Amino acid sequence: MAIDQESDMTDAEIDEFLRQRETGVLSLARTDDPYAIPISYGYDDAEQVFYMRLVSTPESEKREFLESSPAARLVIYDEADSTYRSVIASGTLEDIPPAELTPDQIAQYGEAKRPLFEIWAQGKQDLDIELYQLDPESLSGRRTEVDRAE
């Protein structure tokens, strides 16, 4: 399998790609300590901002990372036939208190279809559910065509 062609995605292609998906991998880093989790997101293409609901328990590693204002990188990717596409958004997560939500933000969180709370072993009352946005400092997309004939 050889790479036949690789190219950057335009802003319009990135927006279209992100609107058609709902999940990615969120990586958080503080000093030399990384943490990565699968997440669901809502995406506002007019502002190029991501919205997500993150669920954790009070003593969890996820909560420790979120409370440290870590650097964040969100990776959304897919593979279809001989084409691989990925978008990477980098920046800092910002928590949004529910009382400060705007109607537009509420609509974006509605697009974040996961987590499904029923999958958690703990009862719902033991979970911390917080709302975050990622307004990326950088947003880039890449498309790679591969020749599967080799």
Side-chain angles (χ1 to χ4, degrees):
M1 179 169 54
I3 294 176
D4 190 35
Q5 181 181 353
E6 193 169 61
S7 60
D8 291 333
M9 295 168 65
T10 66
D11 286 348
E13 290 171 326
I14 289 171
D15 288 343
E16 180 66 21
F17 179 77
L18 294 172
R19 279 192 305 268
Q20 294 175 355
R21 280 158 194 73
E22 62 182 45
T23 61
V25 176
L26 178 65
S27 298
L28 306 174
R30 53 177 193 206
T31 58
D32 292 333
D33 200 10
Y35 183 76
I37 52 174
I39 58 102
S40 175
Y41 66 87
Y43 179 67
D44 178 348
D45 60 346
E47 299 293 324
Q48 291 189 311
V49 174
F50 296 86
Y51 296 91
M52 50 202 96
R53 288 184 301 250
L54 300 179
V55 179
S56 63
T57 58
E59 298 83 28
S60 71
E61 185 177 20
K62 184 191 302 181
R63 175 64 29 223
E64 288 177 28
F65 268 87
L66 291 170
E67 289 174 351
S68 70
S69 299
R73 183 166 288 166
L74 177 60
V75 178
I76 299 97
Y77 62 94
D78 82 348
E79 170 190 0
D81 300 321
S82 62
T83 303
Y84 294 89
R85 294 182 298 173
S86 63
V87 170
I88 299 174
S90 299
T92 303
L93 285 179
E94 179 182 329
D95 65 326
I96 300 178
E100 296 178 15
L101 285 172
T102 67
D104 287 342
Q105 288 173 323
I106 291 169
Q108 291 302 324
Y109 283 112
E111 295 295 318
K113 295 174 178 57
R114 290 176 180 76
L116 301 173
F117 303 116
E118 289 70 24
I119 66 171
W120 289 82
Q122 293 87 355
K124 291 179 190 177
Q125 68 276 9
D126 297 330
L127 300 177
D128 289 333
I129 303 167
E130 298 200 49
L131 307 175
Y132 287 87
Q133 76 175 31
L134 175 60
D135 186 356
E137 295 163 13
S138 69
L139 182 64
S140 61
R142 200 107 177 108
R143 179 180 36 258
T144 304
E145 302 289 336
V146 281
D147 182 1
R148 295 187 185 272
E150 293 183 17

